[in-house]
Amino acid sequence: MTITERKSGDVTVLDVEGKILLGEGDVQLKRKIDELIERKDTKVVLNLENVPYMDSGGLGEIVRSYTTVKRAGGDLKLLHATKRISDLLTITKLITVFEIFEDEASAAGSF
């Protein structure tokens, strides 16, 4: 899994590519979020367009990332959640927790 960071105004967009799995992607995502918090970059959009699969560890890390950013006074929003990820969020009732967007401009403008 790779995470590419870029800016859209004062919003940090994290383009995630690959599977978010327990013991692999979840650690990378945790490090990246912790790094953003340290820099006071607390407006975060997680672009999941190129994430074909996420297990329970990956889902847990997204929830942890969300709460970490919230505690730091910011917000984390999801962009381009695939059908599989949307279904996973619906089944776990987390769909009500996250704001999910289909286009980047709307996501960045929602802060």
Side-chain angles (χ1 to χ4, degrees), residues 5 13 18 25 27 44-45 48 64 74 77 82 98 104:
E5 179 185 333
V13 179
V27 176
V44 183
V45 172
L48 302 172
R64 190 206 71 82
K77 304 184 183 200
T82 62
F98 292 101
E104 191 173 314

Side-chain angles (χ1 to χ4, degrees), residues 46-76:
L46 202 56
N47 182 1
L48 302 172
E49 186 172 25
N50 295 310
V51 177
Y53 180 78
M54 176 170 47
D55 68 4
S56 60
L59 182 61
E61 187 50 43
I62 287 178
V63 171
R64 190 206 71 82
S65 297
Y66 175 82
T67 56
T68 300
V69 171
K70 280 293 217 187
R71 277 194 208 119
D75 207 355
L76 182 140

Side-chain angles (χ1 to χ4, degrees), residues 2 5 7 13 17 20 24 28 38 40 58-59 68-69 72 79-80 86 93 100 110:
T2 59
E5 179 185 333
K7 287 294 224 181
V13 179
E17 195 168 327
I20 306 176
E24 289 176 41
Q28 284 176 273
E38 219 171 274
K40 308 273 189 263
L59 182 61
T68 300
V69 171
L79 176 65
H80 298 302
S86 292
K93 306 266 191 278
I100 302 171
S110 70

Side-chain angles (χ1 to χ4, degrees), residues 78-107:
L78 303 180
L79 176 65
H80 298 302
T82 62
K83 178 170 176 10
R84 181 179 288 236
I85 291 172
S86 292
D87 290 348
L88 185 60
L89 292 170
T90 302
I91 291 166
T92 57
K93 306 266 191 278
L94 289 169
I95 198 99
T96 60
V97 173
F98 292 101
E99 279 188 77
I100 302 171
F101 294 88
E102 289 306 313
D103 73 283
E104 191 173 314
S106 297

